[in-house]
Amino acid sequence: DPNIFLDSQTQERISSLFVNPSSPLLNRAIQGVYPPGSVFKVVLALAGLSNGKITLDKSFFCNGVYELGGTQFNCTHEHGSQNLEQSLVHSCNIYYYHLGLLLGADSIFKYAHLMELGNLTQIDLPYEEKGFIPSRRKTLSAAGRQWYTGDTLNFSIGQGMTLTTPLQLVRAMAMVANGGRAIHPHIIKNLEGENFDQYLSVKEIPIPKNVFPIIQKALRQAVMDTTGTAQALNIEGLRVAGKTGTAQSTAGKEHHAWFVGYVKGKKRKRKTSHSTLT
């Protein structure tokens, strides 16, 4: 209740907010930075199709484990042979380990930035955080060490040093829903009676248009398919599409679980899409 900040009698209550472990004053949508986990696989899918490193039918075999130098990088299941659509439906880590190595860390970094991850959204709210998209150069300067192949594997599934805000992921998913159009998020409805939208630029991101329908279909199947990771969101009357993600935490902390997607109403005369996050 913002009124407590106006009342001198509530100083004790105000102080309790600042020491509350749940951080109720933190605007998590723009200030919380978290590993995106498997939601980040959408970026790799776009990069792989755009670069010609994969086609829709290119498959990798998942036996549940990818071994690198005696270290095991795991998947959630043994998925068997997976093509691109199946890899997004089932969120197969092994597919994206292979794809990440084909792309290389520099290419992943490039496409993450094309999707505006690790950049301020410039929403009309204060104290927004940027997050962090790692690169070989940044790792050398920030961590004082070189970039290893294992870093690329973790990067490929949105873990390791990768950090984004919820709003950044929503904006990236909106680009997928809109076929490559990047829209500036804002909360102001109008300015002196004029619609505020007219003051905001809409730009096209330099990714081939023909790759977006492929990703859109796969994200829809992640919800519709009975084996899809987002099947719980197959809601009658709505066309929900999106990607789940779980990023592991250390020191016994709870994992970060995501669903980022968009929804289209079936009964609308005019097609509209809205990105959302839960």
Side-chain angles (χ1 to χ4, degrees):
D1 178 4
N3 290 310
I4 66 171
F5 293 96
L6 302 176
D7 187 351
S8 60
Q9 303 301 313
T10 58
Q11 186 60 49
E12 184 176 341
R13 188 176 172 192
I14 294 171
S15 298
S16 71
L17 293 176
F18 288 98
V19 297
N20 189 321
S22 296
S23 303
L25 296 179
L26 177 67
N27 185 346
R28 286 172 171 80
I30 63 170
Q31 293 176 285
V33 290
Y34 312 99
S38 291
V39 178
F40 195 73
K41 292 172 182 174
V42 174
V43 174
L44 271 82
L46 287 167
L49 289 171
S50 299
N51 280 355
K53 296 293 186 182
I54 55 169
T55 63
L56 184 57
D57 297 322
K58 173 68 175 177
S59 297
F60 297 105
F61 189 83
C62 170
N63 64 356
V65 175
Y66 186 98
E67 290 200 22
L68 175 70
T71 301
Q72 292 188 339
F73 292 79
N74 296 320
C75 193
T76 54
H77 298 87
E78 294 183 23
H79 292 112
S81 181
Q82 298 280 284
N83 62 26
L84 177 63
E85 182 172 304
Q86 291 166 334
S87 75
L88 286 172
V89 170
H90 302 137
S91 199
C92 177
N93 287 352
I94 305 300
Y95 185 99
Y96 289 93
Y97 294 147
H98 284 286
L99 177 54
L101 293 178
L102 282 177
L103 288 167
D106 292 341
S107 185
I108 299 171
F109 177 83
K110 170 188 171 182
Y111 279 86
H113 272 277
L114 285 179
M115 300 299 288
E116 309 249 5
L117 298 175
N119 296 328
L120 297 176
T121 69
Q122 303 293 343
I123 191 170
D124 39 348
L125 289 171
Y127 313 122
E128 182 182 10
E129 292 288 336
K130 288 180 65 174
F132 184 77
I133 301 298
S135 70
R136 293 190 296 175
R137 179 181 57 81
K138 287 181 180 179
T139 301
L140 185 61
S141 61
R145 66 168 179 83
Q146 68 182 52
W147 181 275
Y148 298 106
T149 303
D151 293 317
T152 302
L153 296 184
N154 283 325
F155 194 16
S156 300
I157 60 169
Q159 299 202 67
M161 295 175 282
T162 312
L163 296 170
T164 60
T165 66
L167 187 60
Q168 284 176 9
L169 287 184
V170 170
R171 179 174 60 174
M173 191 62 75
M175 294 179 200
V176 176
N178 292 319
R181 293 173 62 241
I183 296 174
H184 187 155
H186 66 94
I187 60 170
I188 296 175
K189 185 175 182 180
N190 59 65
L191 187 64
E192 295 182 352
E194 294 187 60
N195 192 324
F196 191 69
D197 285 338
Q198 65 181 301
Y199 300 104
L200 301 175
S201 61
V202 177
K203 66 179 181 180
E204 301 285 337
I205 57 175
I207 291 177
K209 291 292 184 184
N210 62 337
V211 307
F212 289 102
I214 297 171
I215 305 300
Q216 291 167 357
K217 182 175 181 290
L219 296 178
R220 175 67 178 137
Q221 286 300 116
V223 176
M224 289 184 63
D225 195 299
T226 55
T227 62
T229 58
Q231 61 174 302
L233 290 164
N234 191 11
I235 302 166
E236 185 177 353
L238 296 174
R239 295 184 67 247
V240 181
K243 184 74 191 73
T244 57
T246 303
Q248 296 179 350
S249 298
T250 56
K253 295 180 181 179
E254 290 187 42
H255 297 332
H256 297 289
W258 299 87
F259 173 79
V260 187
Y262 55 94
V263 59
K264 294 184 179 182
K266 287 183 178 179
K267 297 181 180 179
R268 295 178 184 269
K269 291 182 180 178
R270 197 175 142 204
K271 280 188 177 180
T272 58
S273 64
H274 304 278
S275 291
T276 187
L277 176 140
T278 58

